[in-house]
Amino acid sequence: MSIKLDTVTYTYGVGSPFERTALHETSVEIHEGEFVGIIGHTGSGKSTFVQLLNGLIHPTKGVVTVDGTDISKKTKEVMAIRHKVGMVFQYPEYQLFEETIAKDIAFGPRNFGLSEDEIEERVREAMEFVGLDYDTYADRSPFRLSGGQMRRVAIAGVIAIHPKYLILDEPSAGLDPVGRREIFSEIQRWHKEKNITVILVSHNMEDISQMATRLLVLSHGNIVLDGEPLDIFSHRQQTLHDAGVSVPPVTEVLQYLQSKGFDISDRVHSVDEGVAAVYDCIRRMNHAH
Amino acid sequence: MLTDITLGQYFPGTSFLHKLDPRAKILGTLIFIVAIFFADSLASYGVVTAFVVLNFAISHLPIKLIAKSLKPLWIIIIFTMSIHVFSTPGEVLWQYGILHITQEGVYQGCLMTARLVYLIVFSSLLTYTTSPIVLTDGIEHLLNPFKRVGVPAHELAMMMTIALRFIPTLLEETDRIMKAQTARGANFTSGSLWQRGKNMIPLLVPLFVSAFRRAEDLATAMEARCYRGGEGRTRMNELAYTYRDAVAMTAVLVVTFILAAMRWFL
Amino acid sequence: MYSHTARRQQPVSTKSLCMTAVCMAVVFMMTFMPRIPIPFGYAHLGDAVIFLLILFLPRRQAGFAASIGSAFSDLLGGFPIWILPTLVIKWVMVEIVFRMAAIPAAGERPSVLSMRMLLAFSVSALWMVIAYAGAGALLYGSTGAGLLMTPGLIGEGVINVAAAMAVGAALQKAAECF
Amino acid sequence: MSIPMIKLDHMSHAYQDEEGKTVYAVKDISLTIEPGEFVAVIGTNGSGKSTLAKHFNVLLTPTGGACEVCGLRTDDPDNVWDIRQEVGMVFQNPDNQIVAAVVEEDVAFGPENLGVPSEEIKQRVSDALKRVNMTIYAKHGPHLLSGGQKQRIAIAGILAMQSHCIVLDEPTAMLDPVGRREVMETIRQLNAEGITVIIITHFMEEAVQADRVVVVNQGEVKMDGAPRSVFSHVDELKAMGLDVPVAAEIAARLREKGIDLPGDIITKEELGEALCRLS
Ligand SMILES: Nc1ncnc2c1ncn2[C@@H]1O[C@H](COP(=O)(O)OP(=O)(O)OP(=O)(O)O)[C@@H](O)[C@H]1O
Ligand SMILES: Nc1ncnc2c1ncn2[C@@H]1O[C@H](COP(=O)(O)OP(=O)(O)OP(=O)(O)O)[C@@H](O)[C@H]1O
Ligand SMILES: [Mg+2]
Ligand SMILES: [Mg+2]
């Protein structure tokens, strides 16, 4: 079971003077249970790529299949796979519209024809998941929340659909470090506990290196790298640089130290691991003396 | 990017018409549109035709633009034509049952169709040769004299400028909102009338909310940049009449006068 | 430094000017892009938005947003000869809605889901149908052309009244939070 | 001594919340910013940074204490326009602060409001665009620009008013890394030319580029000093929910583990040097 792109090309404004190919003959397969990070410079085609995955846009050429179902054409199947592939857009708080938070979160489940009991169950679960107390918040207006809380309501609205594949397009933009960490720890928990496949588009390399099990690097509409994030960050710096992206800040510090002659591993997921790596190196140096 | 919608019909160029002051162009277009209605004979239609063709020629616009501006109206054009052709009484040229074509009908139909085509083509010339931004500027200046009777000329122009500025942004926003709601299973295209109306809630509510948020931000940003209404404001690009505008206005007035004379005095 | 000797008070506050401007843009967008499928193609929702301006703007500003927003649609969409009729027709539409719904000068807005609003919207839509058909007859020089436009106009009127009623209550709730 | 650019004297600002209770967004802040300084303000969401910044441009006036800009008190209505001309503001959302549908017209918006004659506006606009490196985009529609370019246009709009101080409220929050870099470079260059810069940011890489960092928490100034001294308080900052530069954090954690490192490391180069000295 997987989402599969087979030589997919996507062109905006076909036939107009503004014609622009955003994705070139791309083939890739995303397997169940993966946590895929997608990075790339602005305009590299990340948003185009993820919108193809749940049939919001249809390939100009090539085939997209979700669990074996072809969604390349506008057909009934596309509607059916939408509850399999959930999508959180950038600044999702701008899509809230209902009178109450609970009703807004219920919008997705209701569209997919669940019973009222199931819907309520889903809403409770989703709110709990993003850390909003049901009794306090369910009947409040979503427009009276802070930016970070609105973002969570919006994410809960997608999570309530129980997607098998969850796509997030820069879910943390504009949040402070605490807000960002909270949202990501929730997503990671969802990934682990429910074995949800997560596809995360981000400009923040730190988030990617902490969570992703696989990394796709896009550049000018092509996938230029595809592999294990730490491998890519430690061995493919030149390609990354050419694609207009950088390595996570910890990795950058460690690689700088490497270049100064320290024997340090740069394969770390987080700052804590980075500290351990440096500490380890210093101990070894001291022993050598 | 979405097609550059704020440019609308504008076809950039450097012709005489492109360089005309927008005030002269707007006034000239309005006057000539009225003048077209004066025409009632073959001869006066000849004058109108000559003037339209002349203007089109000096605008250096490609011919296919004429076809483009007429395309959405071809049903109406054919309909107008046939109504006149079939319903005008007179000397019968052809008859089938109750349907008959008269000579007067053909004549009337051709004139009416020509008038319609000229109206559309001539007014399109204005929008093909002037960008909406320049038009807005022209409108502000034309409205200025009416300030004394309470027309808020500056405010209107400012609103139009801001609206033009936000149209592409809001179009993108609409696209994004529609996609996001579609991903949550929203359906914008089916159901009863009432249901279809209700389907618009997930689109219109966020759109308005976002528009208001933007309006608030923008108002703050404008005040931070010392905006406080039109009084005492200067403009970077002041409009200035040139000899061109005088030539153009004279030409329009002369043609109008000729058409009026042909109708009422000849 | 340029000195700022006392200037007169702005006639419209900057915020209300910006509100009117973005409403104008929304009216334009919803008029310009037909979104609701009807038997003979797509209907636009511009008039629904115009009806709903009653929730956010004072009468005069609503008039500006409605008439100029729709005129933009004619201008950018390639129907410049319709600009003048549109300006007048949409202005009157707003007048009808505001007069019939009897909005108090300030303060509480009435609920959209009422007979009174329905009636106001419907009369306004009726005026739109008659006025556009009339203007069509005049501009295109034949009564037939006007008649030809009528079925489409009626369809559009009905859809827009329905959409305004359906969306109004939700929009009103959201607007309270601002 | 010259007149300070901005001087806050026990300034407070209170809002009424939904239930009508008074909530202090800014509490008793005293702060002086001299002409030519480059100050970064950091703090979590809701800590009162934006409220503070809006006082510098008289978008808000203090509900307690006083705020002076260039020696002019902001609570005197006669000063409003002089102050706004002197202190420009750039906001978070690049889309919501551009007024006109053509770049150069937007840059001209400020000077037009000031009543500057047409010829001089043209001069100022072309200068301003040159200083932010956007001359070739003068005739473009703003919607065709990237986020970073839009923010540079907003900055040019302030330069065209010949302001001497720019306050930027999270100007990079909605930008991608490239846009962020562009904007920061522009700001640094303007500061080098003598313009006072006050930038609010959530990104520590940006804060370390300033000469001075002010940490705001729950409406109060908690720290104020050179980046080097502020970022050495790693644990305090983390407790407030803020990040610190990675090199500073690594150094602090190593110090905790008993490694003898100086307390003022904030860049990878300094970390590298300090580690070299160890061995
Ligand atoms: N609606 C559209 N119409 C026309 N072109 C578009 C549209 N959306 C995107 N493009 C173009 O397609 C290319 C890829 O865009 P896309 O949004 O997928 O990039 P991205 O990697 O998501 O960028 P970002 O990091 O800025 O979000 C860009 O060159 C963009 O200009
Ligand atoms: N107009 C307002 N009315 C009532 N309360 C307000 C208003 N504006 C801000 N507040 C409150 O004041 C506090 C400080 O807000 P402020 O916007 O200054 O924070 P901030 O530090 O800029 O946060 P962020 O990082 O999210 O921009 C918050 O608790 C906020 O809820
Ligand atoms: Mg994107
Ligand atoms: Mg803020």
Side-chain angles (χ1 to χ4, degrees):
Chain A
M1 292 282 128
S2 62
I3 303 184
K4 206 161 145 187
L5 266 68
D6 188 12
T7 50
V8 169
T9 297
Y10 189 82
T11 308
Y12 285 101
V14 178
S16 78
F18 303 92
E19 187 169 303
R20 181 172 185 123
T21 299
L23 207 63
H24 300 274
E25 309 208 341
T26 301
S27 299
V28 70
E29 186 168 5
I30 291 166
H31 305 277
E32 231 173 286
E34 283 185 324
F35 193 127
V36 182
I38 299 180
I39 61 178
H41 60 87
T42 304
S44 56
K46 304 183 291 295
S47 301
T48 308
F49 177 79
V50 293
Q51 285 177 31
L52 283 162
L53 303 183
N54 73 343
L56 282 173
I57 53 179
H58 303 282
T60 315
K61 268 193 249 140
V63 179
V64 181
T65 51
V66 174
D67 292 351
T69 314
D70 184 350
I71 59 161
S72 320
K73 297 269 147 18
K74 279 197 175 113
T75 51
K76 292 238 160 35
E77 283 81 53
V78 177
M79 191 63 195
I81 63 100
R82 290 244 163 86
H83 71 271
K84 265 193 197 168
V85 188
M87 169 107 189
V88 178
F89 278 81
Q90 222 173 335
Y91 297 100
E93 58 271 30
Y94 291 154
Q95 297 132 29
L96 302 176
F97 64 94
E98 281 281 14
E99 281 164 55
T100 70
I101 292 174
K103 277 195 196 165
D104 206 288
I105 297 175
F107 181 67
R110 184 160 289 133
N111 283 330
F112 293 115
L114 297 184
S115 72
E116 284 305 314
D117 291 343
E118 276 174 301
I119 291 175
E120 162 146 12
E121 171 72 36
R122 292 269 182 107
V123 172
R124 277 180 182 278
E125 180 200 36
M127 284 184 66
E128 184 194 337
F129 199 84
V130 297
L132 291 171
D133 181 49
Y134 184 87
D135 297 320
T136 324
Y137 286 104
D139 293 328
R140 287 212 198 161
S141 164
F143 298 111
R144 288 203 200 274
L145 299 174
S146 78
Q149 286 173 322
M150 279 167 87
R151 178 88 45 103
R152 287 191 212 173
V153 172
I155 294 179
V158 175
I159 279 181
I161 302 169
H162 279 196
K164 229 172 113 182
Y165 303 91
L166 178 62
I167 304 173
L168 302 127
D169 197 346
E170 300 198 31
S172 68
L175 296 184
D176 67 7
V178 177
R180 214 176 64 220
R181 228 163 277 144
E182 278 171 358
I183 281 185
F184 279 130
S185 73
E186 280 147 16
I187 291 166
Q188 208 167 9
R189 193 152 57 87
W190 195 253
H191 167 67
K192 292 207 172 109
E193 284 175 11
K194 307 250 167 170
N195 196 28
I196 302 288
T197 310
V198 179
I199 298 156
L200 170 69
V201 176
S202 179
H203 280 306
N204 190 320
M205 301 304 143
E206 200 182 337
D207 297 337
I208 299 272
S209 78
Q210 275 176 18
M211 295 183 290
T213 57
R214 178 178 173 193
L215 181 60
L216 298 181
V217 183
L218 265 75
S219 177
H220 300 289
N222 294 299
I223 295 181
V224 290
L225 289 172
D226 176 359
E228 214 272 317
L230 295 188
D231 278 340
I232 291 180
F233 288 140
S234 62
H235 300 308
R236 307 301 298 272
Q237 291 165 39
Q238 192 52 46
T239 320
L240 283 175
H241 184 79
D242 294 342
V245 288
S246 53
V247 298
V250 198
T251 316
E252 194 185 323
V253 170
L254 296 181
Q255 288 177 348
Y256 175 78
L257 294 179
Q258 279 181 344
S259 76
K260 290 279 150 196
F262 290 93
D263 176 23
I264 297 181
S265 158
D266 61 359
R267 298 181 56 94
V268 299
H269 293 96
S270 62
V271 176
D272 289 339
E273 288 184 23
V275 173
V278 180
Y279 187 64
D280 195 46
C281 163
I282 297 171
R283 283 242 314 273
R284 269 183 284 119
M285 280 190 327
N286 288 349
H287 280 295
H289 281 291
Chain B
M1 234 359 99
L2 299 148
T3 51
D4 203 349
I5 200 154
T6 34
L7 286 180
Q9 306 283 103
Y10 180 54
F11 194 91
T14 54
S15 73
F16 182 83
L17 287 191
H18 283 89
K19 286 185 193 149
L20 274 184
D21 187 286
R23 290 169 293 186
K25 264 193 279 195
I26 297 171
L27 277 180
T29 309
L30 286 176
I31 294 172
F32 186 69
I33 281 180
V34 174
I36 291 180
F37 281 89
F38 293 168
D40 63 348
S41 65
L42 220 46
S44 49
Y45 269 95
V47 175
V48 173
T49 311
F51 194 66
V52 171
V53 169
L54 173 75
N55 272 286
F56 203 88
I58 60 174
S59 72
H60 294 303
L61 294 170
I63 294 283
K64 68 168 195 280
L65 283 183
I66 297 186
K68 197 178 142 205
S69 60
L70 291 175
K71 207 165 132 206
L73 291 165
W74 64 271
I75 296 188
I76 299 239
I77 292 174
I78 290 176
F79 195 77
T80 309
M81 182 83 178
S82 25
I83 288 238
H84 282 104
V85 168
F86 288 111
S87 67
T88 317
E91 196 175 316
V92 176
L93 292 176
W94 176 88
Q95 185 151 23
Y96 180 82
I98 54 157
L99 281 181
H100 59 273
I101 295 178
T102 61
Q103 197 175 350
E104 286 78 2
V106 173
Y107 180 70
Q108 274 298 320
C110 287
L111 288 194
M112 285 299 151
T113 310
R115 178 162 95 190
L116 184 53
V117 169
Y118 290 151
L119 276 174
I120 295 161
V121 170
F122 200 77
S123 54
S124 299
L125 268 182
L126 173 66
T127 49
Y128 282 138
T129 59
T130 326
S131 79
I133 296 156
V134 175
L135 272 180
T136 308
D137 235 22
I139 293 170
E140 172 175 10
H141 282 86
L142 287 174
L143 287 177
N144 266 336
F146 297 100
K147 258 188 193 161
R148 246 167 291 151
V149 295
V151 175
H154 163 75
E155 281 72 21
L156 281 177
M158 200 72 216
M159 284 172 196
M160 287 193 261
T161 306
I162 296 172
L164 279 176
R165 148 79 189 84
F166 273 94
I167 284 167
T169 311
L170 289 177
L171 276 172
E172 246 175 78
E173 184 105 354
T174 309
D175 186 51
R176 190 160 52 228
I177 295 170
M178 282 187 92
K179 276 184 179 159
Q181 310 296 26
T182 310
R184 289 211 277 166
N187 183 346
F188 293 105
T189 55
S190 64
S192 65
L193 197 60
W194 178 248
Q195 190 54 46
R196 280 183 207 191
K198 277 202 131 8
N199 287 345
M200 290 296 135
I201 295 177
L203 170 63
L204 282 181
V205 173
L207 185 63
F208 267 107
V209 168
S210 137
F212 294 163
R213 212 177 265 145
R214 290 179 192 280
E216 203 154 321
D217 282 5
L218 184 69
T220 311
M222 281 168 70
E223 294 200 334
R225 286 216 257 160
C226 293
Y227 178 74
R228 59 204 132 141
E231 215 173 306
R233 239 180 144 245
T234 45
R235 298 302 308 272
M236 174 168 70
N237 296 314
E238 306 280 6
L239 292 179
Y241 283 116
T242 64
Y243 77 94
R244 271 191 221 99
D245 306 301
V247 171
M249 285 313 279
T250 315
V252 170
L253 288 174
V254 167
V255 171
T256 308
F257 181 75
I258 293 175
L259 288 170
M262 288 169 87
R263 175 163 189 155
W264 284 294
F265 301 114
L266 291 184
Chain C
M1 220 184 245
Y2 286 83
S3 69
H4 324 280
T5 41
R7 296 189 194 179
R8 243 190 297 150
Q9 187 66 33
Q10 278 172 250
V12 192
S13 78
T14 309
K15 183 162 168 208
S16 134
L17 187 142
C18 292
M19 279 287 281
T20 314
V22 293
C23 285
M24 200 182 277
V26 174
V27 169
F28 161 81
M29 268 192 342
M30 286 299 149
T31 313
F32 192 74
M33 304 226 126
R35 287 180 195 280
I36 296 197
I38 52 171
F40 301 107
Y42 282 78
H44 70 70
L45 278 178
D47 294 340
V49 172
I50 288 176
F51 298 147
L52 292 171
L53 290 180
I54 195 173
L55 298 175
F56 318 111
L57 294 178
R59 183 164 55 93
R60 224 161 100 97
Q61 268 127 283
F64 288 140
S67 49
I68 303 178
S70 310
F72 268 147
S73 172
D74 293 335
L75 172 71
L76 301 179
F79 304 94
I81 43 168
W82 277 101
I83 290 177
L84 283 180
T86 293
L87 286 172
V88 176
I89 294 170
K90 303 283 164 156
W91 182 275
V92 174
M93 280 175 78
V94 169
E95 287 287 325
I96 292 175
V97 172
F98 274 72
R99 304 265 178 202
M100 289 192 60
I103 295 285
E108 280 299 288
R109 300 281 170 167
S111 165
V112 176
L113 284 178
S114 63
M115 271 326 274
R116 188 174 197 153
M117 281 283 185
L118 179 61
L119 199 66
F121 293 171
S122 306
V123 173
S124 181
L126 188 65
W127 150 259
M128 185 275 293
V129 173
I130 296 170
Y132 266 113
L138 210 69
L139 274 179
Y140 298 143
S142 73
T143 334
L147 286 177
L148 189 69
M149 291 166 62
T150 315
L153 287 169
I154 292 176
E156 216 147 74
V158 173
I159 294 247
N160 276 286
V161 172
M165 294 303 286
V167 174
L171 205 52
Q172 212 163 9
K173 288 264 167 31
E176 274 165 22
C177 299
F178 285 89
Chain D
M1 245 198 76
S2 64
I3 306 170
M5 194 75 222
I6 285 160
K7 185 158 173 261
L8 308 184
D9 184 20
H10 298 282
M11 190 189 83
S12 303
H13 191 94
Y15 290 111
Q16 302 289 323
D17 73 0
E18 282 157 39
E19 285 101 49
K21 274 187 297 185
T22 304
V23 185
Y24 277 88
V26 167
K27 261 184 296 207
D28 195 39
I29 291 189
S30 295
L31 191 72
T32 305
I33 293 170
E34 298 296 338
E37 274 197 285
F38 184 172
V39 182
V41 180
I42 59 175
T44 50
N45 290 130
S47 57
K49 306 180 298 293
S50 300
T51 307
L52 180 65
K54 283 183 179 160
H55 282 86
F56 302 160
N57 179 276
V58 214
L59 290 169
L60 292 174
T61 47
T63 55
C67 172
E68 270 177 29
V69 177
C70 297
L72 303 170
R73 279 179 67 106
T74 60
D75 49 9
D76 181 350
D78 288 344
N79 291 339
V80 173
W81 306 106
D82 290 329
I83 294 175
R84 285 193 184 159
Q85 187 180 338
E86 199 54 34
V87 179
M89 266 193 98
V90 176
F91 299 88
Q92 177 174 5
N93 192 328
D95 274 319
N96 298 0
Q97 52 187 321
I98 294 181
V99 185
V102 182
V103 165
E104 62 173 7
E105 300 253 345
D106 184 73
V107 177
F109 181 72
E112 288 180 344
N113 291 333
L114 297 176
V116 178
S118 160
E119 283 312 307
E120 189 181 341
I121 299 182
K122 284 192 183 128
Q123 189 55 44
R124 287 190 186 193
V125 167
S126 83
D127 281 352
L129 284 172
K130 201 184 292 162
R131 283 169 82 184
V132 300
N133 231 335
M134 289 291 292
T135 307
I136 53 169
Y137 295 98
K139 307 271 180 207
H140 279 229
H143 59 286
L144 300 174
L145 304 179
S146 73
Q149 290 172 327
K150 283 181 206 158
Q151 290 297 54
R152 276 149 63 199
I153 293 304
I155 295 174
I158 289 166
L159 295 177
M161 295 203 300
Q162 302 190 331
S163 306
H164 295 102
C165 177
I166 301 186
V167 180
L168 305 103
D169 189 352
E170 301 190 40
T172 59
M174 301 181 82
L175 308 185
D176 61 275
V178 178
R180 250 170 10 226
R181 220 170 304 138
E182 286 171 7
V183 171
M184 283 311 288
E185 248 159 52
T186 308
I187 295 173
R188 272 217 312 260
Q189 180 207 325
L190 292 176
N191 178 247
E193 291 171 18
I195 289 187
T196 316
V197 174
I198 301 167
I199 179 173
I200 297 174
T201 181
H202 282 310
F203 295 100
M204 297 308 134
E205 317 85 89
E206 293 171 6
V208 298
Q209 297 178 20
D211 304 328
R212 176 174 167 195
V213 176
V214 173
V215 183
V216 179
N217 194 31
Q218 297 184 340
E220 293 174 69
V221 171
K222 285 286 151 64
M223 295 181 205
D224 180 356
R228 213 168 278 295
S229 67
V230 168
F231 287 122
S232 60
H233 303 276
V234 174
D235 290 322
E236 270 173 72
L237 288 170
K238 289 235 149 184
M240 284 185 231
L242 293 168
D243 264 346
V244 288
V246 173
E249 188 169 356
I250 293 181
R253 296 271 166 278
L254 289 174
R255 270 198 306 279
E256 277 168 27
K257 285 173 185 266
I259 310 264
D260 177 28
L261 289 172
D264 60 354
I265 291 173
I266 52 174
T267 66
K268 60 183 180 187
E269 286 81 12
E270 289 161 3
L271 180 66
E273 226 170 85
L275 289 177
C276 279
R277 274 200 298 274
L278 276 186
S279 48

